[in-house]
Amino acid sequence: MKNIIIIIVIVLLIAGVGVGFYLLGSKSINKGGAVTPTPQTFIEITPTFTPPSPTQIPLKTVMAGGILSFPKYRLSLPSDWTDNLEKMGPDAEKLIVKKGSYSISITQGGFGGAACLFPGDPDIEGPSGRYDTFTDLQDKSGDILRRVGKSQGGGFSICEKTQYGWGAPTSYGHMSIAAPVSPDPQMLTEIDAIISSLTKL
């Protein structure tokens, strides 16, 4: 009887040890298999777009003038404009720059002047021209010029501000602009840039 009890105790011990090793192994496997995910940081990259710069038309320099009391001068002209200098005798010349149906003429010679009048100005005695549209400009020599016209169209003239008021011709000569009745605003911008580039030499 005593031997049987000893055998039962040994069997129970062996069984207990086996169960213990089994449970310990299961925990080790579970512990080793558990993977803690590593947090990932995502950086959002926003593409940047740089718009292309507008293509600028190269400029060319045109020189003329020096007739009678008028000075020599130069101006900057886009390369898609043409220029032509007409000699009308020893004391007269005309520079014509042109693009399509638009042109600027600068004439030096012997001729009289006239006052330029605008809305609100009283009538005066003597030669004058009255205009109801105008754009103020300044050339490279610091002269204050004004591109003047009439609301019904028909081209433009250039007046210059002096101590006596607005008048024509300018110190560069008589300046006129031929344009369609309804001119393109972009073309007027080009014309204003050409006139503003005038420089006395």
Side-chain angles (χ1 to χ4, degrees), residues 25-101:
S26 298
K27 289 182 180 180
S28 298
I29 292 173
N30 290 337
K31 185 176 180 180
V35 178
T36 302
T38 301
Q40 298 182 2
T41 302
F42 295 94
I43 301 175
E44 183 178 355
I45 300 176
T46 303
T48 57
F49 173 73
T50 302
S53 300
T55 303
Q56 293 186 349
I57 298 176
L59 300 177
K60 59 183 178 180
T61 300
V62 177
M63 293 186 289
I67 303 299
L68 298 178
S69 61
F70 293 104
K72 291 184 178 181
Y73 63 88
R74 69 169 176 257
L75 55 79
S76 297
L77 196 65
S79 59
D80 57 349
W81 284 66
T82 61
D83 61 280
N84 181 45
L85 184 62
E86 297 180 0
K87 291 289 187 179
M88 301 177 292
D91 296 329
E93 74 169 30
K94 178 188 290 187
L95 174 66
I96 302 174
V97 298
K98 186 175 183 180
K99 178 180 177 180
S101 56

Side-chain angles (χ1 to χ4, degrees), residues 21 28 44 65 71 75 81 88 114 120 124 134 141 171 192 195:
F21 277 112
S28 298
E44 183 178 355
L75 55 79
W81 284 66
M88 301 177 292
I124 63 172
F134 58 87
S141 294
S171 54
D192 291 344
I195 294 170

